Amino acid sequence: MNWLIIVSNPNDENAQLVQDFLSGKFGAESSKVLLYPNISREELFDVCNKVLVASHFIILDSERLHKLNDYNFILGLIRGRQCPAFIFEGRPYIRRYESLEKELRGSSYFTCFSHLNELTNLIEKNFEKYRRDDEQKNALASLFANGIPFTSDCFAQYIAKDNTEICETFFKAGMLMNARTSNGIPLLCIATRNDCISKVKWLLENGADIDAISSDRGYSPVMDAVWRKNFDITKYLISKGADLSFVSSDGQPILVLAVGNGNVDIVKILLENGADPDIKDSMGMSAREYALLFKKKPMIELMEKFPKK
């Protein structure tokens, strides 16, 4: 965050109070610029440059600043950048500035105050929100600067690549962990299908739905892990409470899928965590029956430890 304090008096005591408040309360850095009558073009150019890089503005003694033509220009810059500005009027505004004050008060980016403690109290109450909003804006700018579209499809590509830095930037920019690709595939399924256990953990830690169902296969993430024969991800998702009773859109119970893939360790961990070997698939066959049909002895022996209910 980059706080800029705009004053009309170089000896304004409130400016130091505000700077001490920002640094002492939040460790936030701030700088100060001066607007005054007959300011040189070079100095005004320097003020404009600082306005163009600041993220938050505190304007002190706005009644005096209103008398300056350059002040309206600076307000326009701030409004165009859509940055929060906190305006301390010093005392109730007088009638000849009423139209401008009404415009400021009607903007979602400007907040006017008659007392300095009201200004600092609002900042203190909402500082964490201001920080998050600023982080989101910077993250979006970083993506765009690198030619990366802010879309779930693009995010999915970086999840598949296990690119932590870009994935974190998407998250800071506001991408939802439960977003889906244009094909209806949950991001958690994308991570699972690409064997990215680090991204599976990261997505779950940040709120992804562990049982989200993909639109293409009708699988949940744990079913995708079984399909990939990925024991580690299967085990992790089970440990986090993945639903093992779910049947896919094509009528496959998870144990039928596991038997078909032939991974004994995955069949074992599914059975140990409550998966039912006797749920029928769309063909009327259960995992137990498939194991017997295809003479998968190790799996038959495992299932014998879990008799029919």
Side-chain angles (χ1 to χ4, degrees), residues 234-294:
T234 301
K235 180 180 179 181
Y236 180 76
L237 291 171
I238 289 172
S239 73
K240 292 299 178 178
D243 183 4
L244 302 184
S245 64
F246 173 75
V247 177
S248 69
S249 59
D250 63 356
Q252 271 193 316
I254 194 167
L255 262 175
V256 168
L257 180 62
V259 169
N261 275 353
N263 190 305
V264 176
D265 290 335
I266 288 179
V267 169
K268 182 174 185 292
I269 196 171
L270 290 172
L271 286 166
E272 290 174 344
N273 284 275
D276 189 343
D278 298 306
I279 295 178
K280 306 285 187 178
D281 66 4
S282 58
M283 302 294 291
M285 293 281 288
S286 68
R288 191 190 304 273
E289 289 168 336
Y290 278 118
L292 290 167
L293 177 64
F294 294 109

Side-chain angles (χ1 to χ4, degrees), residues 12 21 49 54 67 73 105 107 151-152 171 180 185 188 196 204-205 212 214 218 230 233 244 252 256 288 303:
D12 193 324
F21 164 75
N49 281 335
K67 300 173 184 178
F73 174 68
R105 290 175 181 274
S107 168
T151 66
S152 57
F171 181 50
R180 293 169 175 260
I185 305 171
L188 188 57
C196 296
L204 284 176
E205 287 167 1
S214 64
N230 192 313
I233 293 181
L244 302 184
Q252 271 193 316
V256 168
R288 191 190 304 273
M303 293 181 193

Side-chain angles (χ1 to χ4, degrees), residues 92-107:
Y93 60 87
I94 56 181
R95 182 162 297 278
R96 67 176 180 271
Y97 307 126
E98 186 173 358
S99 61
L100 179 59
E101 291 289 357
K102 283 184 177 179
E103 181 181 350
L104 295 181
R105 290 175 181 274
S107 168

